[in-house]
Amino acid sequence: MTEVTSSLTKEQINERFRQCLREVDSFIKAKNVSDAKQKFDEAKRLDPVNPYLSAFESRLQLLESSTFSPTFGQQGTTVVGVREVFSDKLRLQVEAEAKSQALPSWKKMESSAFNGIEDINLRGAKSVKEMGSELLKKYHQQIALDRKKIEDEATQLIEVERRRLQEEFTAKAARQNENVRTVRAEVRREMENNFLRMLELISKQYERKMELLDIHVPDTKTDALTHYKKKMRTYYAQGEPTQDEAKKLMELKELLELTYDEHLAIESEVREELYMYSLRRKILLGEVTLHTYSKIDELRNQYKLSAEQASRAESMVFSRVKKFDVKGRILIVDAEAAHNEMVGNGLNERSFETLVAANIQTALEILNNEFVDLIISDVRFPEGQFEGFKFFNAVQEQFTLRRIPFILISSNQDTMLYRCAAQLGVDDILFKPLDVELLNSVIEGKLKRYRELAQV
């Protein structure tokens, strides 16, 4: 620990550590890796053994390694050099035509030359050698002129043909590219539609399975906070979550789109509630009194409460125990208001504190916010035939509630109820109208047994 942190109190270090994690959470969401790592290192120096560090470190590593750069294939086009092939063919053809055209002319000139020779021989004006040279010169000049003319015409024809072929090739290439783009767009659109249909089908199947498994996905912010608080109670039951549990909480926070400040607020509430629950239970068991400071300090350290939180929770618990001086708190869940009043008055006279709920939802809210030593619930409610059994299962799913004794009551003495209750593990089942004395004896026996097991 550095000199700066050594001068701070434990509460100031905790607050500074939480502030660092808030900033790390914000930087990760903004994809700012460098600032997130800097704040993460500062948090690690403040509290190197905190279980949430591993969760944030995993998120940082995932952010650093995540890359996504989709590419699409492009069609290359190779142009065939047709100019040389066509030029060779045309040159050969032109030379052949030139030869065929020049041959008659040559023969004609040759005939004229022979006639000239005869005339020369007859007239004796010139020698045969001079006449041949002159004719040969004229012949070569005519051949050169004809060749140049043919080459010029061939060049013009080749250029025209080249331009025509180039325009034709460009047009075909443009049409081909347009066809390729059209086909790609159709294929991509079809793939996207198929993918969306598949996602919709998977979503419907997933929602159906979630419904069959009776799993509720939070729809509102309030539901998300309630679900997160419920899950946190389970992980904080022993005072501090493990690294794996801390990672799961961070993943759930991201899934529910909660902020880190909301996480800290819920964490503070849960620590204080669990501390109050444990403190009250130990008071009822006789393990803690106003003078057993060491036991109270152990609980404070276990749930890592600040002095203000611990003082508030202890004041509430001790004042409530002193005020009521009760043997236990009983939750009565029944849709009949008259029956609730009768049972509640009878238990109050026998030094029990009672809480009343007319439906399952209200009962679960009470259990999430109050301390209860025993639950008495009717089997049937207006919203369903056997909602009492579902209520029992909901209680058993919560770690902090599953060891609370649970008694079912029913107005019908049916052997099927005995079998169902026994299979589920219900502590007892009684029938209406309830005998308050019998109920009192059953409650005292269950509480005694529960408190003995709690001491083991």
Side-chain angles (χ1 to χ4, degrees):
M1 187 174 294
T2 63
E3 294 180 359
V4 177
T5 56
S6 62
S7 63
L8 301 177
T9 64
K10 186 176 181 181
E11 293 181 7
Q12 291 173 334
I13 292 174
N14 288 337
E15 179 59 31
R16 189 165 174 182
F17 174 80
R18 292 174 180 174
Q19 180 62 32
C20 288
L21 290 190
R22 288 192 193 95
E23 296 181 14
V24 172
D25 189 64
S26 301
F27 287 139
I28 289 176
K29 290 182 177 179
K31 301 188 182 301
N32 189 339
V33 179
S34 61
D35 291 341
K37 290 179 68 176
Q38 183 179 357
K39 284 298 176 182
F40 175 80
D41 293 337
E42 182 178 347
K44 193 171 182 180
R45 289 194 297 271
L46 290 171
D47 190 357
V49 297
N50 191 281
Y52 286 105
L53 291 176
S54 179
F56 277 90
E57 187 175 8
S58 298
R59 292 177 62 196
L60 276 172
Q61 293 174 354
L62 180 62
L63 178 61
E64 287 180 322
S65 62
S66 61
T67 56
F68 179 74
S69 56
T71 58
F72 297 94
Q74 296 185 354
Q75 179 180 4
T77 305
T78 304
V79 181
V80 180
V82 297
R83 180 176 177 178
E84 292 78 2
V85 177
F86 180 77
S87 177
D88 293 340
K89 285 186 175 182
L90 188 59
R91 186 174 64 253
L92 293 175
Q93 183 178 357
V94 168
E95 289 180 354
E97 290 179 357
K99 288 181 180 180
S100 63
Q101 292 176 1
L103 186 60
S105 177
W106 181 80
K107 288 182 178 181
K108 183 178 180 181
M109 291 177 67
E110 187 179 26
S111 175
S112 298
F114 286 134
N115 292 332
I117 293 173
E118 292 178 357
D119 291 340
I120 290 171
N121 290 329
L122 292 174
R123 291 178 301 172
K126 293 181 179 180
S127 66
V128 175
K129 185 176 180 180
E130 292 175 350
M131 182 61 70
S133 299
E134 184 68 20
L135 288 175
L136 186 61
K137 181 179 179 181
K138 289 182 178 180
Y139 172 77
H140 284 298
Q141 290 177 347
Q142 185 65 36
I143 288 295
L145 291 174
D146 291 343
R147 177 175 294 177
K148 186 176 185 305
K149 181 180 179 181
I150 292 171
E151 287 179 352
D152 291 342
E153 291 177 353
T155 301
Q156 293 177 357
L157 291 174
I158 291 172
E159 182 64 21
V160 170
E161 185 66 15
R162 186 190 68 78
R163 291 178 180 176
R164 186 187 68 80
L165 291 175
Q166 182 65 33
E167 292 174 356
E168 183 179 351
F169 175 78
T170 303
K172 287 183 178 181
R175 288 194 299 271
Q176 182 67 21
N177 290 336
E178 184 63 27
N179 292 335
V180 170
R181 283 194 294 270
T182 302
V183 171
R184 282 182 177 176
E186 291 177 355
V187 171
R188 178 175 295 178
R189 187 163 47 251
E190 183 65 23
M191 290 177 65
E192 289 176 351
N193 292 335
N194 291 337
F195 183 69
L196 290 175
R197 285 195 294 269
M198 185 180 298
L199 283 180
E200 184 178 0
L201 178 61
I202 292 174
S203 177
K204 289 181 179 179
Q205 292 176 348
Y206 177 77
E207 291 176 356
R208 178 62 177 168
K209 291 178 180 179
M210 295 284 281
E211 180 182 355
L212 293 174
L213 294 172
D214 197 22
I215 297 175
H216 172 67
V217 178
D219 297 326
T220 64
K221 186 68 173 222
T222 303
D223 290 342
L225 291 172
T226 301
H227 181 75
Y228 192 67
K229 186 175 182 180
K230 177 182 176 182
K231 185 63 67 174
M232 186 177 284
R233 281 197 188 97
T234 302
Y235 291 155
Y236 279 71
Q238 303 302 323
E240 190 74 8
T242 63
Q243 286 190 357
D244 183 60
E245 291 171 341
K247 285 184 179 180
K248 290 179 180 178
L249 280 175
M250 288 295 99
E251 291 174 5
L252 181 60
K253 178 184 78 70
E254 296 296 326
L255 186 63
L256 297 176
E257 298 181 351
L258 302 180
T259 65
Y260 192 67
D261 285 334
E262 288 171 334
H263 161 80
L264 292 178
I266 295 174
E267 181 190 42
S268 178
E269 291 179 12
V270 169
R271 287 183 185 276
E272 191 168 340
E273 289 177 2
L274 291 174
Y275 174 71
M276 291 173 65
Y277 176 83
S278 300
L279 180 60
R280 184 179 181 280
R281 183 172 66 86
K282 288 183 178 296
I283 290 174
L284 293 175
L285 294 173
E287 297 179 7
V288 173
T289 65
L290 288 171
H291 305 291
T292 54
Y293 298 110
S294 61
K295 293 286 186 180
I296 296 176
D297 287 338
E298 288 178 5
L299 280 178
R300 287 181 180 176
N301 293 331
Q302 180 179 347
Y303 292 101
K304 295 186 181 298
L305 295 184
S306 64
E308 181 183 354
Q309 287 178 309
S311 176
R312 182 172 58 247
E314 290 160 11
S315 175
M316 187 180 299
V317 172
F318 282 116
S319 63
R320 183 172 294 179
V321 171
K322 184 176 179 181
K323 177 180 177 181
F324 294 103
D325 193 21
V326 296
K327 296 186 292 185
R329 302 184 80 194
I330 311 300
L331 173 61
I332 304 172
V333 189
D334 196 334
E336 298 181 17
H339 183 266
N340 288 342
E341 183 178 0
M342 184 271 292
V343 175
N345 291 337
L347 294 178
N348 290 337
E349 293 174 357
R350 290 160 177 80
S351 300
F352 287 103
E353 180 186 356
T354 57
L355 302 172
V356 177
N359 53 63
I360 303 303
Q361 185 62 35
T362 304
L364 289 173
E365 292 177 0
I366 291 174
L367 289 172
N368 286 330
N369 295 282
E370 299 287 346
F371 303 110
V372 172
D373 295 300
L374 185 138
I375 301 172
I376 300 174
S377 174
D378 198 353
V379 174
R380 289 182 172 86
F381 289 85
E383 55 266 26
Q385 283 295 318
F386 297 101
E387 290 295 313
F389 292 124
K390 291 184 179 180
F391 177 40
F392 174 77
N393 288 331
V395 171
Q396 296 303 302
E397 289 175 357
Q398 299 192 38
F399 179 81
T400 57
L401 305 178
R402 63 179 60 170
R403 295 188 65 182
I404 299 177
F406 198 103
I407 298 175
L408 283 174
I409 56 176
S410 175
S411 57
N412 297 326
Q413 297 190 18
D414 190 347
T415 55
M416 184 189 71
L417 293 177
Y418 278 111
R419 291 198 297 270
C420 291
Q423 289 175 354
L424 289 174
V426 177
D427 292 274
D428 209 337
I429 182 167
L430 302 175
F431 296 97
K432 297 180 180 179
L434 292 177
D435 184 339
V436 179
E437 286 296 335
L438 174 61
L439 179 61
N440 177 65
S441 300
V442 172
I443 292 174
E444 288 182 348
K446 299 300 178 185
L447 291 180
K448 179 180 179 182
R449 177 61 177 163
Y450 167 73
R451 290 167 180 169
E452 288 175 353
L453 290 174
Q455 290 177 339
V456 175

